[in-house]
């Protein structure tokens, strides 16, 4: 990953107390940036609060990878190439070898290599907290800032064209719809 213009090389690490970091909130998105694109990281690092009803929608990053680790609550997760990408609900997807999505609680882990379709959703009635890292080009903190604006503007029903445009600029091919609680 290249260093953003005018960003000096990091000369110290990052040590933060619980709850510290830059918070990005809007339209169901609640992420606290722990390490962002301002520090030339190998990956942007976050603590993300996923509210009940939030579904990021299945998507693909062609040049970056991601890691998710459930800290609290439950999350439905998927990371495989489905037999049929055209099915509108990724919960119905199945891989060629019969794999389906996983619903996991604390300790559930997901690694997504570049080019692999993936998704997550909170279908429970309680808030979920997730440790999340993304090496997607452009800095995922910048993406989250812009996504929060799109979600706020849509009041829980984001404009599909705005989401598609945003994701295209951040190497994200959207396969199924994003749904935010509203």
């Amino acid at each position: 990953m290249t260093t953003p213009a005018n960003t000096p090389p990091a000369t110290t690490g990052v040590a933060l107390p619980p709850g510290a970091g830059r918070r990005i909130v809007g339209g169901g998105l609640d992420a606290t940036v722990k390490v962002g694109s301002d520090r030339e990281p190998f990956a942007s690092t976050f603590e993300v609060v996923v509210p009940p009803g939030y579904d990021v929608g299945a998507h693909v990053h062609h040049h970056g990878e991601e890691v998710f680790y459930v800290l609290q609550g439950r999350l439905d997760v998927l990371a495989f190439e489905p037999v049929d990408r055209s099915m509108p609900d990724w919960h119905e997807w199945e891989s060629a070898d019969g794999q389906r999505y996983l619903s996991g609680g604390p300790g559930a882990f997901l690694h997504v290599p570049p080019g692999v379709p993936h998704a997550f959703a909170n279908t429970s009635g309680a808030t979920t907290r997730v440790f999340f890292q993304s090496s997607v080009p452009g800095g995922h903190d910048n993406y989250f800032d812009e996504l929060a604006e799109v979600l706020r503007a849509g009041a829980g029903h984001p404009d599909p064209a705005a989401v598609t445009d945003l994701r295209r600029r951040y190497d994200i091919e959207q396969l199924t719809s994003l749904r935010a609680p509203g």
Side-chain angles (χ1 to χ4, degrees), residues 13 18 57 113 176:
T176 66

Side-chain angles (χ1 to χ4, degrees), residues 103-174:
S103 182
F109 176 82
L110 180 69
H111 171 255
V112 184
V116 174
H118 58 286
F120 68 86
N122 181 352
T123 58
S124 78
T127 298
T128 297
R129 285 184 330 114
V130 178
F131 171 84
F132 170 62
Q133 284 191 314
S134 174
S135 70
V136 173
H140 225 60
D141 50 325
N142 298 322
Y143 168 73
F144 277 168
D145 284 326
E146 293 185 50
L147 178 60
E149 287 300 318
V150 169
L151 293 172
R152 273 193 291 273
H157 304 285
D159 174 24
V163 172
T164 298
D165 177 60
L166 172 63
R167 289 187 162 193
R168 184 179 355 238
R169 289 186 284 115
Y170 285 94
D171 183 40
I172 304 169
E173 177 188 354
Q174 192 70 29

Side-chain angles (χ1 to χ4, degrees), residues 46 48 50 66-79 100-112 119-122 128-133:
F46 308 87
V48 178
V50 184
E66 295 181 331
V67 170
F68 299 84
Y69 185 86
V70 176
L71 301 168
Q72 173 186 351
R74 294 196 68 74
L75 201 64
D76 295 348
V77 295
L78 169 144
R100 303 286 305 247
Y101 76 92
L102 164 77
S103 182
F109 176 82
L110 180 69
H111 171 255
V112 184
F120 68 86
N122 181 352
T128 297
R129 285 184 330 114
V130 178
F131 171 84
F132 170 62
Q133 284 191 314

